[in-house]
Amino acid sequence: MINNLDFAEHQLFAQAFKYAPIGMALLSIEGHWLHVNSSLSQILGYSESELAELTFQDITHPDDLSRSIQLRERFLFEELNTYQVEKRYIHKNGFDVWISLTLSIVRDESKRPLFFMAQFREMSSTKERAGELIEKVEQLESFLENSADAIWMVDLNDTILEVNPTFEEMFGWSQKEIKGKKLPMIPDFLWDVMDKIHQGIKRGETVVGFETIRKRKDGSLLDVEATLSPIRDRKGIIVGMTGICRDITRRKQAEEELKSKTEQLESFIENSADAIWMVDINDKIINVNPTFEKLFGWKAGEIKGEKLPLVPPFLQEAMDKIHQGIKRGETVVGFETIRQRKDGTLLDVEATLSPIRNRKGNIVGMTGICRDVTPRKRAEEELKAKTTQLESFIENNADAILIFNNEGTVERINATFEKTFGYPREAIMGMEWQHLPIISGEYLDEARRIFEEAENGQSVVGLEMIGKQMNGESLNLLVTSSPILDGKGMQDGWSVTLRDITNWKQAQELLQNSEKLSVAGQLAAGIAHEIRNPMTSIKGFIDLMKAGFGEKKKYFDIMSSEIERIELILSELLILAKPQSIKYERKDIRVLLSQVLTLLDTQAILNNVQFVTEFKPGVTHIYCDENQLKQVFINFVKNSIESMPNGGIITIQVNGNSQEEMLIRLTDQGCGIPKEVLSKLGQPFYTTKEKGTGLGFMVSKQIIENHSGQIHVESELGQGTTIEIKLPLWSS
């Protein structure tokens, strides 16, 4: 049953067929007239009923009949579907009628021929036709001459008949050079292929727009797009071939560049370390790259054609507004937001969104590039926390802190600095180090050394100095300076920490004085014995002098000598017991040790101990506090005497041959120190003596370290102990 649409189309075709201004006819496969219109009846002079009794062979001019039959066979063998030809028909009144015939065949779905449909246009008179033919020839010649494509014509032997100027320009051969010769522009490696194509053209085939390679006269190759078709005479017989060729080298290069860029872009998308996705204008996913799959957990096949699933619900409204802006042509670069993975976890990301445009510039979608910045955000948060901690550490530190830039200008001080020295923050900020009012004049050179070393990237640790408060009072300071480095390891300034050790110094002095008094008390018995002997002599001589015996001058000399010895012993004892201010002076270590041994000589005699001194040639003077060093040597020598209750030898060696330090070695033959005790030397109140305090070695060690020296103790049970003291040879 024919539906309304099919019926309407059928009616429209019937009307167009009936009233067409040209002749229209439907013919059977055998050539019978099935249906004709009135225009054809007028052209041929036969009515529709008269033509129904005839075939097309009956009214075809005899000279054109064989060609018409050949044409019909080609249609039936599917070589042709449509064809146009000029031919003659015999009018009902007997004269020839020139017709331009367009013939088409109608086939069913199985391609079986059903009928022919023909259009007949009556041609002009011979004179008019000649004029039209001349005009067509001129048009054809103009087309050949002015065509932008290279055109050539060859006969059935592939011999060149004609080429146009574009051919000459494109390939380099003039028509005169190659007319009558074989086609020269086919490369040798393509001759077999082209020969097969030419054979097809000679059978009536047409090859349209195929891409191949052609050779120029200079040997260079061109990419071309060619169309080859047969040349027929008026009887439809193939007499040659024509070729139309267009240079597409630039287009091919452009295509290769486009292909290369496309491959690069695809490679970039596929191998990008960032997640990339593309959506259409309706926010439906077109494509995602492997990094997207890895980062968010969705496979491309799961979400293609779906809405973007990675925007958390609480951000959807904000993202919709951003997407609307992108669709208006905006671009959003490097904004930080949150995205959701397939498993529901959230990521901190940095995203760039931009529109996708077609070749006309119309926006057809959106692309997004997304980078996971969760580790960076965490690092930033950790850095922020550490910075806050550092800021808090500096500001709330119990020590005064100054921070300088590389030019030596104060950039920061903490609250403890203000509290310790009394200067307000604004008075110190921006001040150069050499103008700082907290530096005492006598310590300016020492401060300069600290800052010079800091500028050179070196640290200074635990240097003692005297500083001044705003009210003029002095403070004992322990100074530590160290460089500040930036993230690249380059120095960005330095910091100075000032610890107020005034109370500590006072406590140290009290401790040392206490130890001095303890030593003095322990020496009292020996000193009393030492003084009793000369006093007995003096008393005896006085009694003799009263009785009038002996030579009085001799008595006076002995008495004077004994009194001088008493004065020497008492002066050494007073020096040890009396608190004195620390004063560094250049002293001879030999004299200093001799004075110490004089003080301890009586105790040594009482314990059957002998002193042996060895002073090697070399430097003998050092800068020191004489009283403090005497206290150190008294402590160590007294300990050695007490460790030898049965007597022995204490050897004292001094070696000043080194250019940097002096070595003083004390060796005894005492009972020695156990290893477990040796490791605890220097701890306060730790002692092996029944009445000891444990402070002697600690104080002595502190004194040596205050002189920038070192102490090293070696000992074996039953073998004795060796104490090595190293003191620098520079002045303080």
Side-chain angles (χ1 to χ4, degrees), residues 104-287:
S104 301
I105 190 168
V106 179
R107 307 177 190 273
D108 63 11
E109 293 181 354
S110 301
K111 295 188 178 182
R112 289 182 301 177
L114 299 177
F115 56 85
F116 289 102
M117 185 169 66
Q119 298 176 7
F120 299 81
R121 289 182 176 85
E122 186 177 10
M123 301 184 66
S124 308
S125 63
T126 302
K127 185 175 182 181
E128 290 174 343
R129 290 183 67 249
E132 291 175 358
L133 183 60
I134 292 172
E135 184 178 355
K136 287 181 179 179
V137 171
E138 290 175 348
Q139 291 174 351
L140 180 60
E141 289 178 348
S142 176
F143 167 74
L144 292 173
E145 288 293 317
N146 300 296
S147 175
D149 297 330
I151 300 175
W152 67 91
M153 288 173 281
V154 296
D155 60 20
L156 292 177
N157 296 317
D158 292 331
T159 301
I160 295 177
L161 302 173
E162 191 79 25
V163 298
N164 71 342
T166 304
F167 179 99
E168 296 177 319
E169 181 180 352
M170 183 182 296
F171 293 106
W173 287 284
S174 66
Q175 178 169 275
K176 183 178 180 181
E177 288 181 274
I178 58 174
K179 194 170 184 179
K181 297 180 180 179
K182 295 281 188 180
L183 279 171
M185 69 276 195
I186 300 175
D188 294 338
F189 60 87
L190 286 178
W191 254 117
D192 290 342
V193 176
M194 290 309 303
D195 188 54
K196 293 179 181 178
I197 294 174
H198 285 188
Q199 294 303 319
I201 305 301
K202 293 171 185 177
R203 292 193 300 269
E205 299 173 2
T206 297
V207 180
V208 179
F210 78 101
E211 294 183 2
T212 185
I213 297 173
R214 290 294 177 262
K215 181 175 65 175
R216 299 183 76 254
K217 183 179 179 179
D218 61 10
S220 59
L221 300 178
L222 298 176
D223 290 295
V224 299
E225 182 181 84
T227 295
L228 301 178
S229 56
I231 300 175
R232 300 177 185 273
D233 61 12
R234 295 193 59 182
K235 295 181 180 181
I237 299 172
I238 296 173
V239 295
M241 273 188 306
T242 183
I244 301 175
C245 185
R246 178 173 298 168
D247 182 6
I248 59 169
T249 302
R250 291 184 180 178
R251 192 190 81 190
K252 290 290 286 185
Q253 290 173 348
E255 287 176 353
E256 289 297 324
E257 290 177 2
L258 179 61
K259 182 180 178 182
S260 176
K261 288 180 180 178
T262 301
E263 289 174 350
Q264 290 172 0
L265 180 60
E266 289 176 348
S267 176
F268 164 75
I269 293 173
E270 285 295 308
N271 299 298
S272 174
D274 296 330
I276 299 176
W277 68 91
M278 288 172 278
V279 298
D280 61 20
I281 204 68
N282 297 315
D283 293 334
K284 298 288 183 69
I285 293 177
I286 301 170
N287 201 7

Side-chain angles (χ1 to χ4, degrees), residues 466-478:
I466 302 296
K468 291 190 302 182
Q469 293 179 305
M470 188 175 179
N471 59 13
E473 293 185 8
S474 297
L475 295 176
N476 292 101
L477 301 175
L478 192 66

Side-chain angles (χ1 to χ4, degrees), residues 26 52 67 114 131 141 200 211 248 330 400 438 528 545 656 660 716:
L26 299 179
R67 187 173 62 165
L114 299 177
E141 289 178 348
E211 294 183 2
I248 59 169
E330 298 173 5
I438 66 170
M545 290 171 64
E660 298 180 356
E716 289 188 22

Side-chain angles (χ1 to χ4, degrees), residues 13 17 24-36 56-57 68-78 80-83 101-107 113-120:
F13 175 77
F17 186 92
M24 300 285 291
L26 299 179
L27 294 92
S28 68
I29 298 303
E30 293 77 17
H32 293 285
W33 301 93
L34 301 176
H35 188 53
V36 299
F56 84 93
Q57 294 94 332
S68 297
I69 293 173
Q70 290 177 358
L71 185 62
R72 173 179 171 275
E73 294 299 320
R74 293 184 64 197
F75 271 99
L76 295 179
F77 284 98
E78 299 185 15
L80 296 173
N81 287 319
T82 301
Y83 194 79
L101 173 64
T102 300
L103 190 63
S104 301
I105 190 168
V106 179
R107 307 177 190 273
L114 299 177
F115 56 85
F116 289 102
M117 185 169 66
Q119 298 176 7
F120 299 81

Side-chain angles (χ1 to χ4, degrees), residues 92 117 328 366 375 377 463 552 561-562 580-581 623 709:
K92 182 179 179 180
M117 185 169 66
R328 291 193 299 269
M366 236 181 344
K377 291 289 285 186
L463 184 67
K552 296 182 179 179
S561 173
E562 294 297 326
Q580 297 181 5
S581 61
Y623 281 86

